[in-house]
Amino acid sequence: MTATPALVPAMAPVTRSAASMAEDVVLDVEDLSVSFVSPQGIVPAAREVSFEVRRGETLAMVGESGSGKSVTSLAILRLTPPAPQCRIEGRVRLRAGDRRVHDLLALPEARMRELRGSAAAMVFQEPMTSLNPVHKIGDQIAEAVRFHSALSKRGALDRAAELLDLVGIPDVRRRMSSYPHQLSGGMRQRVMIAIALSCEPVLLIADEPTTALDVTIQAQILELLHDLQQRTQMALLFITHNLGVVAEIADRVIVMYAGRVVEEAAVLPLFKRPLMPYTQGLLRSVPRLDLAGRRCDELAAIPGNVPDPLALPPGCSFAPRCAHRVPELCDARVPLLEGAGAEHFVRCARWASLAEGAPP
Amino acid sequence: MKQPEALLEVRDLHKWFPLRRRLLSRAREVVKAVDGVSFDVRRGEVLSLVGESGSGKSTVGRSVLRLTVPTAGTIRFAGTDITHFSRRQMRPFRQRMQLVFQDPYASLNPRMTVEGILAAPLEIHGRAASRSDRRDKIEEALRLVGLLPQHAARYPHEFSGGQRQRIGIARALMTGPELLIADEPVSALDVSIQAQVVNLLVELKRRLGLTILFVAHDLAVVGHISDRIAVMYLGRLVELAETRELFGNPRHPYTEALLSAAPIPDPTFKRERIVLAGDIPSPVNPPSGCSFRTRCPYALPACGEARPPLREVAPGHFKACIRDDLRLRAPG
Ligand SMILES: Nc1ncnc2c1ncn2[C@@H]1O[C@H](COP(=O)(O)OP(=O)(O)OP(=O)(O)O)[C@@H](O)[C@H]1O
Ligand SMILES: Nc1ncnc2c1ncn2[C@@H]1O[C@H](COP(=O)(O)OP(=O)(O)OP(=O)(O)O)[C@@H](O)[C@H]1O
Ligand code: SF4
Ligand code: SF4
Ligand SMILES: [Mg+2]
Ligand SMILES: [Mg+2]
């Protein structure tokens, strides 16, 4: 399963700032902004988003509906609608399997298409929309395999069967000739993962891959992704709004709010000592299964709603809902994403004084 | 001490949906969506139905509301058998039991103002004596769900998802119901908004003495809101107990697996997870005997022989499993 020579880049890879990209960094996103032109005005869907994902690492991206998670991940792989409807700024670099660094937003479309699938792959929430309803599962996977390899039709089908086995589909031979509608939601998601893995990507982006599934099936898929990652050392960008899932799979976490990263930290400090009032509120608002029945009467809900992207507050986007807001500090300008200890970043004008008052 | 009175009594409820007859096949296949379910909902309690997709939770809710005709079994509301009531006979009961939908977007008419939406149930049931009476009732319902009187003039699209769900709850409260059936009322909402709506339901229960049949698949939410929980699998109840008892001392292997699969938002929380193999079988051909046996880690040959009845294994704790020798694990 290696790429054909014809698919290996003919041009020199972009090396300009490859030096600043640490060896183990697979994806480096810098100041990525995505905006949409709509009849009501410009929707700033993602703003100055920066993060890295390393080899063998799982970075979870959490945030409420509309916070810009999907848009960010689609922009990374250049799957957003074309200009002028959608504008992308910033830089996205990917270190492919051959260790070359590619500047994704600057690549010609044909090169980008080769990298999508061969170096970076994506799994979406609703697998039914990404599978072709009139083709057999086996053929669809084989087609994906052949797109990036020199295997014969027969060889690709064998590889498809291997992949289905790898993702834990029972009775592979029979399933190869099933159509998508004949599979359960969990099995369809396994097929999507098999397709995504067909060319051994260095980066897998999974956008809410378990949200539509039942908990017992979700547990199977999370275990599968974890096993595959252990084996292949791929970098995983996992998008979810479920904090329980984050706690379970993430090494590091970025929290999005109204299009911006508002906190970034390793999973343990993020849950044990969150610094951004929004992260704190989010963690307090989820009921905990292990405390059920010993309930305190009220969940600590965050008051109010997510701001309208067309009418964002001038300063901190969370200010209208924040109990710690001080107008002079919070409303003047958008707070910077500041370093708050080892690999911990927070976007809050008051984080330092709030942390002082908090118990360690 | 007297047992609290049951507002709703469901006995041996069946709801089978016929499938289209297959060519050359004489047998008519049916989906056994609900296949012999019995439970009570006591006045003033929140009883939750949990279970995975397709287990029959919504069908139980719809049968109770008589939005669908049960295939067999009985439903008694406040002591009256309503199982075979006609539309006209159901009318006085409709006001006393109301539904809150899952989807706050689809369930409100986009061309009506909030006032129009809230007035409709009053008109259907002829409960608005005068215009000022109507206005008072609408304002009271809005206040109860945490909205303002001036919201009455606005349209659904002017509200966020959480606010629309509040409007849906306000609409359900207009006729002064005793029983609220809430089918996944927070599933479509963001985490921080879910908490607002869950708090609202708990508060309404306390302030109005509402009885709630809560249908959901998120165990953590269910654990927070419920007095008792009934777990469904493939159209049957497999376990029923008080919340604390069910979570602290699960007696059915499926409940144990569900609790074990639910992710806990604490990275220091370590446990050995039970990952069930395989998918939920089809409700057209459920396995013989115990329908969980194809995925049960503790299954014995005897489990395929007869359908295990739901029996009381400790005071108020029911389960449908033949094995009493298991030591099952609880989270926490
Ligand atoms: N094609 C588009 N045209 C215009 N606006 C868009 C488009 N796609 C997304 N948006 C807007 O961009 C913002 C971010 O959307 P995005 O889909 O990234 O949110 P998300 O965090 O993935 O939310 P969810 O949890 O609901 O999936 C939203 O305000 C959304 O309405
Ligand atoms: N009108 C219908 N005709 C045929 N089959 C139906 C009908 N309504 C429900 N079913 C089937 O009955 C079973 C139970 O469905 P139901 O909607 O009650 O499940 P549920 O537990 O509410 O699931 P979910 O969590 O997905 O809402 C499913 O297999 C479903 O496909
Ligand atoms: S900047 Fe101000 S309003 Fe924003 S989160 Fe910090 S304290 Fe709250
Ligand atoms: S009856 Fe048997 S198969 Fe069913 S839950 Fe009990 S042990 Fe498992
Ligand atoms: Mg999304
Ligand atoms: Mg349902």
Side-chain angles (χ1 to χ4, degrees):
Chain A
M1 252 269 336
T2 48
T4 54
L7 291 181
V8 171
M11 65 178 130
V14 180
T15 51
R16 186 160 38 95
S17 41
S20 66
M21 207 170 141
E23 262 305 295
D24 62 342
V25 172
V26 171
L27 177 72
D28 183 19
V29 177
E30 276 175 87
D31 289 328
L32 181 66
S33 295
V34 185
S35 46
F36 293 96
V37 179
S38 81
Q40 290 79 36
I42 305 228
V43 179
R47 293 182 296 168
E48 288 129 46
V49 174
S50 299
F51 60 87
E52 298 176 339
V53 198
R54 301 175 197 130
R55 216 170 102 80
E57 179 187 54
T58 299
L59 176 70
M61 185 186 267
V62 283
E64 290 179 76
S65 185
S67 59
K69 306 181 296 294
S70 296
V71 161
T72 300
S73 60
L74 290 170
I76 289 170
L77 296 184
R78 289 189 20 201
L79 293 169
T80 41
Q85 193 202 330
C86 172
R87 267 210 311 268
I88 304 183
E89 286 161 274
R91 183 159 66 166
V92 177
R93 287 178 299 167
L94 178 76
R95 190 189 301 278
D98 57 8
R99 314 218 136 248
R100 293 196 207 195
V101 174
H102 302 269
D103 188 342
L104 298 188
L105 300 186
L107 287 181
E109 181 51 36
R111 290 282 300 114
M112 188 64 218
R113 207 172 311 131
E114 287 160 19
L115 282 179
R116 243 183 257 134
S118 71
M122 190 151 176
V123 178
F124 298 92
Q125 172 172 343
E126 186 29 78
M128 205 53 195
T129 55
S130 333
L131 289 169
N132 188 329
V134 301
H135 288 133
K136 291 177 182 166
I137 294 298
D139 294 342
Q140 293 195 51
I141 304 174
E143 191 190 340
V145 168
R146 265 160 69 85
F147 187 76
H148 293 284
S149 77
L151 288 176
S152 65
K153 185 125 196 270
R154 187 69 253 156
L157 279 170
D158 286 342
R159 175 68 186 154
E162 236 175 85
L163 285 162
L164 282 180
D165 190 49
L166 182 73
V167 297
I169 296 231
D171 199 2
V172 168
R173 281 294 154 200
R174 189 165 65 87
R175 283 304 171 199
M176 289 279 285
S177 45
S178 299
Y179 292 91
H181 74 267
Q182 296 173 314
L183 303 185
S184 67
M187 274 208 256
R188 286 199 286 260
Q189 199 53 286
R190 283 172 195 268
V191 169
M192 285 315 297
I193 293 171
I195 290 175
L197 295 176
S198 63
C199 13
E200 296 171 6
V202 290
L203 171 71
L204 179 65
I205 300 179
D207 189 354
E208 311 252 9
T210 60
T211 305
L213 304 176
D214 281 318
V215 277
T216 62
I217 310 299
Q218 167 171 279
Q220 294 172 357
I221 298 287
L222 292 180
E223 194 177 67
L224 169 67
L225 284 173
H226 182 75
D227 284 355
L228 292 170
Q229 192 185 32
Q230 295 283 299
R231 257 190 272 178
T232 63
Q233 286 298 301
M234 66 183 173
L236 179 59
L237 173 59
F238 193 102
I239 297 171
T240 178
H241 63 262
N242 186 324
L243 289 164
V245 171
V246 174
E248 205 123 290
I249 61 149
D251 299 307
R252 275 188 312 126
V253 186
I254 52 181
V255 182
M256 302 277 293
Y257 191 79
R260 286 202 168 89
V261 176
V262 295
E263 187 155 10
E264 171 183 343
V267 68
L268 217 57
L270 190 100
F271 279 82
K272 291 298 160 189
R273 203 162 167 269
L275 295 172
M276 167 74 190
Y278 170 65
T279 316
Q280 294 167 352
L282 206 55
L283 284 167
R284 270 199 300 265
S285 69
V286 286
R288 283 191 51 169
L289 186 73
D290 49 334
L291 304 179
R294 272 163 276 178
R295 71 179 143 176
C296 42
D297 281 339
E298 279 214 345
L299 292 174
I302 303 178
N305 293 296
V306 182
D308 177 353
L310 288 165
L312 290 170
C316 170
S317 310
F318 186 58
R321 305 172 75 186
C322 183
H324 303 293
R325 169 180 173 225
V326 173
E328 306 82 77
L329 293 171
C330 308
D331 298 348
R333 66 187 70 83
V334 177
L336 297 173
L337 191 67
E338 292 176 27
E343 308 225 324
H344 196 150
F345 299 90
V346 54
R347 190 188 294 281
C348 167
R350 301 198 59 210
W351 74 265
S353 60
L354 295 176
E356 255 167 43
Chain B
M1 224 176 76
K2 194 171 153 276
Q3 277 285 310
E5 179 203 349
L7 179 60
L8 179 72
E9 297 158 78
V10 174
R11 289 292 173 274
D12 207 26
L13 180 69
H14 288 72
K15 180 67 196 181
W16 293 3
F17 295 103
L19 286 180
R20 269 228 312 273
R21 198 187 302 253
R22 277 215 220 115
L23 222 59
L24 304 178
S25 158
R26 311 196 87 222
R28 196 174 173 114
E29 292 194 311
V30 292
V31 179
K32 298 178 179 175
V34 178
D35 195 26
V37 162
S38 303
F39 62 90
D40 285 350
V41 186
R42 302 171 187 155
R43 241 178 231 285
E45 83 167 340
V46 180
L47 177 86
S48 287
L49 289 178
V50 297
E52 293 178 281
S53 187
S55 57
K57 308 180 294 295
S58 297
T59 307
V60 170
R62 293 175 55 80
S63 305
V64 165
L65 284 165
R66 282 294 323 280
L67 297 174
T68 177
V69 185
T71 309
T74 56
I75 298 161
R76 294 172 77 85
F77 180 81
T80 309
D81 185 342
I82 59 168
T83 322
H84 301 288
F85 270 16
S86 66
R87 274 176 91 120
R88 203 175 50 77
Q89 285 173 305
M90 268 310 285
R91 269 185 80 161
F93 289 92
R94 288 248 178 273
Q95 312 181 35
R96 299 172 66 183
M97 42 209 284
Q98 287 284 327
L99 179 64
V100 177
F101 295 88
Q102 164 168 6
D103 190 343
Y105 298 88
S107 64
L108 302 175
N109 184 338
R111 284 185 298 275
M112 276 166 96
T113 61
V114 168
E115 180 168 7
I117 289 168
L118 298 187
L122 294 180
E123 276 146 26
I124 292 168
H125 297 291
R127 291 185 53 130
S130 65
R131 279 183 82 147
S132 72
D133 182 34
R134 190 177 101 155
R135 172 146 306 149
D136 288 349
K137 284 201 161 93
I138 288 172
E139 279 187 15
E140 191 197 334
L142 285 172
R143 207 168 306 114
L144 269 174
V145 298
L147 295 171
L148 302 168
Q150 57 264 38
H151 284 136
R154 300 201 193 151
Y155 289 89
H157 74 263
E158 298 175 65
F159 294 91
S160 68
Q163 288 174 319
R164 283 184 233 203
Q165 197 53 291
R166 288 171 194 270
I167 297 168
I169 294 170
R171 175 178 56 189
L173 296 176
M174 291 307 292
T175 57
E178 291 148 73
L179 176 69
L180 216 55
I181 296 182
D183 192 347
E184 307 265 10
V186 300
S187 311
L189 303 176
D190 271 321
V191 183
S192 78
I193 309 298
Q194 271 190 10
Q196 296 176 5
V197 175
V198 166
N199 284 344
L200 172 64
L201 286 171
V202 171
E203 191 196 318
L204 290 174
K205 171 200 154 183
R206 197 178 306 134
R207 276 176 55 185
L208 306 178
L210 277 180
T211 305
I212 304 178
L213 178 60
F214 190 85
V215 173
H217 64 267
D218 183 332
L219 281 164
V221 168
V222 162
H224 179 81
I225 201 172
S226 317
D227 297 298
R228 293 191 301 147
I229 298 174
V231 183
M232 286 191 77
Y233 189 77
L234 272 178
R236 300 175 186 175
L237 286 191
V238 296
E239 189 162 6
L240 192 161
E242 283 185 4
T243 302
R244 196 167 170 172
E245 168 74 4
L246 189 92
F247 282 46
N249 190 14
R251 299 289 195 102
H252 194 283
Y254 178 61
T255 311
E256 180 193 43
L258 266 187
L259 290 170
S260 164
I264 289 180
D266 180 353
T268 58
F269 188 86
K270 293 284 171 256
R271 59 183 160 171
E272 220 179 296
R273 155 164 293 169
I274 302 159
V275 177
L276 290 181
D279 282 316
I280 305 174
S282 154
V284 178
N285 285 309
S288 63
C290 172
S291 53
F292 184 55
R293 72 187 162 84
T294 52
R295 300 171 82 199
C296 180
Y298 312 104
L300 301 173
C303 300
E305 280 163 21
R307 173 175 171 173
L310 190 70
R311 63 200 163 88
E312 193 162 12
V313 289
H317 195 149
F318 300 81
K319 77 161 178 184
C321 164
I322 59 169
R323 292 192 64 173
D324 289 328
D325 56 327
L326 301 172
R327 291 187 50 114
L328 303 182
R329 271 174 293 166

